[in-house]
């Protein structure tokens, strides 16, 4: 028999983890900007707001918790779900040994992994989160940290307390999803975030799910400029490194979109209803699908070789030629303009440096003639 849903609220009992369990992710955390995406943490706050949800995340002295740090929460969520499935009592007060986590997540047990583990716990305990999800109108007064009452010792291992908001979600079987083991081998934060987004929305639906790139940039919480973010998406699409899903960048509406489809479809239950409306804040409908060449999302500019002719003039002429009324041509023109601007800035800098070198010589010759 399953324990009563509120049994975990007993304050004086501790859930001791001793065996393996498959990690689980909380649906409310997937596809929302709850964590920093970079390998290195940052201190800039994250604020995300739509018609449905408000999220505010601020960092502590050790920086904001990253998406790699969230592996600990996924592992703890899997342990709690597994215990509930076996009819065991659970608590948000947890105790475990690090080697158990290392074994389940495939971490090595060397000194480097202990430093990573300790840093992740410090960032999780210092990151403060406030969200309107399941918190009602007074959500700003119900802020929490991912980990509290943290104690680490050689005798007892790790003891910590999970927030009630996280515990309420994990104890509801409709709010948790399994995670592909290959997820924990992904090195990039954006790849990890895309997998969680795909698992949350596309699931195993044959038609998949479609997102606008502009909306993805906002909801990811990425600190990178939008163009660099789009280039990162294109690189992941080129590698097809998100396990279990195929990614394509397509056109047909006002802006490019990302379509995510599962590699293995299922006729069973799905995570969300299929919709061809792009995201929740763009209100753009995808029309006929046309795949965009990934080369259009490259970063950087072409090198200029100064000969008798200036190649940038021809480059600019091509821009005006491509400025037609079709959305795809307008997108290409905007990308060309950005690249050309970078080229011209680099050329200006080169010319300025050349002037700085030759100007003193010209002045010296003029003074010599005057004398």
């Amino acid at each position: 028999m399953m324990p009563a849903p509120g049994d975990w609220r007993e304050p004086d009992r501790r859930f001791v983890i001793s065996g393996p369990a498959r990690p689980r992710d909380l649906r409310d955390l997937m596809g929302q900007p709850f964590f920093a995406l970079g390998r290195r943490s940052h201190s800039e706050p994250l604020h995300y707001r739509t018609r449905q949800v408000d999220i505010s995340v601020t960092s502590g002295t050790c920086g904001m918790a990253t998406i790699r740090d969230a592996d600990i929460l996924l592992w703890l969520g899997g342990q709690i779900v597994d215990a509930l499935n076996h009819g065991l009592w659970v608590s948000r007060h947890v105790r475990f040994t690090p080697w158990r986590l290392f074994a389940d997540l495939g971490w090595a047990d060397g000194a480097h992994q202990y430093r990573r583990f300790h840093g992740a716990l410090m960032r999780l305990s210092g990151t403060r989160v406030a969200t309107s999800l399941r918190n009602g109108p007074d959500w700003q007064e119900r802020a929490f940290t991912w980990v509290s009452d943290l104690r680490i010792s050689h005798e007892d291992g790790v003891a910590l307390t999970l927030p009630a908001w996280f515990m309420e979600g994990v104890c509801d079987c409709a709010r948790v999803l399994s995670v592909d083991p290959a997820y924990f081998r992904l090195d990039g934060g954006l790849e990890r975030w895309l997998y969680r987004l795909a698992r949350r929305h596309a699931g195993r639906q044959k038609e998949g799910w479609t997102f606008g790139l502009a909306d993805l940039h906002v909801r990811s919480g990425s600190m990178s400029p939008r163009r660099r973010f789009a280039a990162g998406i294109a690189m992941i699409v080129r590698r097809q490194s998100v396990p279990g899903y195929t990614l394509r960048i397509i056109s047909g509406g006002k802006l490019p979109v990302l379509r995510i489809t599962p590699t293995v479809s299922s006729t069973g239950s799905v995570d969300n209803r299929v919709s061809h409306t792009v995201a929740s804040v763009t209100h753009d409908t995808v029309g006929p699908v046309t795949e965009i060449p990934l080369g259009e999302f490259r970063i950087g500019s072409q090198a200029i070789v100064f000969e008798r002719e200036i190649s940038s003039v021809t480059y600019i002429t091509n821009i005006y030629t491509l400025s037609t009324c079709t959305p795809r041509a307008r997108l290409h023109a905007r990308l060309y303009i950005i690249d050309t601007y970078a080229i011209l800035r680099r050329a200006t800098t080169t010319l300025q440096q050349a002037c700085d070198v030759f100007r003193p010589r010209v002045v010296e010759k003029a003074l010599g003639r005057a004398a």
Side-chain angles (χ1 to χ4, degrees):
M1 181 180 296
M2 292 283 290
D7 285 353
W8 59 268
R9 299 181 184 273
E10 296 183 24
D12 299 328
R13 298 182 63 181
R14 187 170 294 277
F15 174 51
V16 180
I17 296 174
S18 58
R22 184 176 183 180
R24 301 293 205 284
D25 207 346
L26 186 59
R27 290 166 59 102
D28 293 337
L29 298 180
M30 305 166 77
Q32 308 284 5
F34 281 99
F35 303 97
L37 298 185
R39 292 183 66 89
R40 294 183 179 180
S41 180
H42 61 77
S43 58
E44 292 82 1
L46 293 177
H47 300 288
Y48 177 72
R49 183 177 184 181
T50 66
R51 291 174 297 179
Q52 294 83 17
V53 62
D54 288 272
I55 299 173
S56 177
V57 185
T58 55
S59 63
T61 56
C62 296
M64 184 176 295
T66 68
I67 197 168
R68 289 165 60 86
D69 301 337
D71 289 358
I72 297 176
L73 296 178
L74 271 61
W75 179 75
L76 290 172
Q79 290 285 348
I80 292 169
V81 171
D82 186 72
L84 290 174
N85 290 339
H86 288 84
L88 302 178
W89 179 88
V90 296
S91 170
R92 69 191 189 102
H93 308 289
V94 183
R95 183 163 64 87
F96 62 93
T97 54
W99 70 265
R100 181 70 270 168
L101 180 145
F102 296 164
D104 288 351
L105 297 184
W107 293 13
D109 57 356
H112 170 71
Q113 301 305 333
Y114 275 96
R115 287 194 296 269
R116 172 186 172 184
F117 177 67
H118 184 268
L121 288 177
M122 293 299 103
R123 288 185 290 271
L124 289 170
S125 62
T127 300
R128 191 169 182 83
V129 182
T131 178
S132 61
L133 283 170
R134 297 187 281 111
N135 271 338
D138 60 339
W139 62 274
Q140 293 176 325
E141 286 73 36
R142 303 183 64 180
F144 58 87
T145 58
W146 295 118
V147 167
S148 60
D149 301 329
L150 178 63
R151 297 187 300 276
I152 303 176
S153 65
H154 293 290
E155 295 79 13
D156 299 329
V158 179
L160 54 83
T161 298
L162 295 169
W165 182 89
F166 179 82
M167 198 70 182
E168 288 173 352
V170 169
C171 290
D172 184 355
C173 61
R175 294 184 179 274
V176 293
L177 294 172
S178 60
V179 180
D180 193 317
Y183 166 81
F184 298 99
R185 295 192 292 271
L186 294 177
D187 190 59
L190 185 56
E191 287 176 308
R192 286 171 168 250
W193 185 80
L194 281 176
Y195 169 81
R196 299 175 75 189
L197 180 81
R199 184 70 181 91
R200 166 69 172 82
H201 290 280
R204 296 183 177 87
Q205 302 174 88
K206 181 179 180 180
E207 294 83 359
W209 202 266
T210 307
F211 302 90
L213 290 184
D215 177 68
L216 284 180
H217 182 253
V218 173
R219 70 162 62 198
S220 70
S222 173
M223 297 288 108
S224 300
R226 182 178 296 180
R227 178 171 173 78
R228 185 172 293 274
F229 176 84
I233 295 288
M235 186 179 298
I236 295 172
V237 171
R238 187 179 295 110
R239 295 197 305 257
Q240 291 296 327
S241 55
V242 177
Y245 295 93
T246 300
L247 281 64
R248 285 193 305 156
I249 296 178
I250 59 177
S251 67
K254 297 180 181 178
L255 293 173
V257 297
L258 178 70
R259 172 160 292 177
I260 303 176
T261 53
T263 55
V264 179
S265 61
S266 172
T267 56
S269 60
V270 297
D271 302 323
N272 257 326
R273 178 179 56 86
V274 175
S275 173
H276 293 288
T277 300
V278 181
S280 58
V281 295
T282 57
H283 307 294
D284 295 333
T285 303
V286 178
V289 174
T290 304
E291 191 162 357
I292 298 179
L294 298 180
E296 302 298 338
F297 293 89
R298 64 188 181 277
I299 298 178
S301 57
Q302 299 175 358
I304 296 180
V305 179
F306 289 100
E307 298 178 353
R308 294 186 177 180
E309 297 181 352
I310 301 177
S311 59
S312 59
V313 174
T314 305
Y315 204 63
I316 296 175
T317 303
N318 291 337
I319 293 174
Y320 287 107
T321 304
L322 284 171
S323 298
T324 63
C325 60
T326 62
R328 182 178 181 184
R330 285 199 299 268
L331 169 65
H332 291 182
R334 286 195 295 267
L335 296 176
Y336 286 138
I337 289 172
I338 293 173
D339 284 343
T340 303
Y341 177 71
I343 292 173
L344 293 178
R345 286 196 61 180
R346 183 177 299 178
T348 303
T349 303
T350 303
L351 291 175
Q352 183 64 43
Q353 292 173 351
C355 291
D356 293 340
V357 172
F358 291 109
R359 186 183 295 114
R361 299 179 182 178
V362 174
V363 172
E364 290 177 359
K365 290 182 180 180
L367 291 176
R369 287 194 297 268

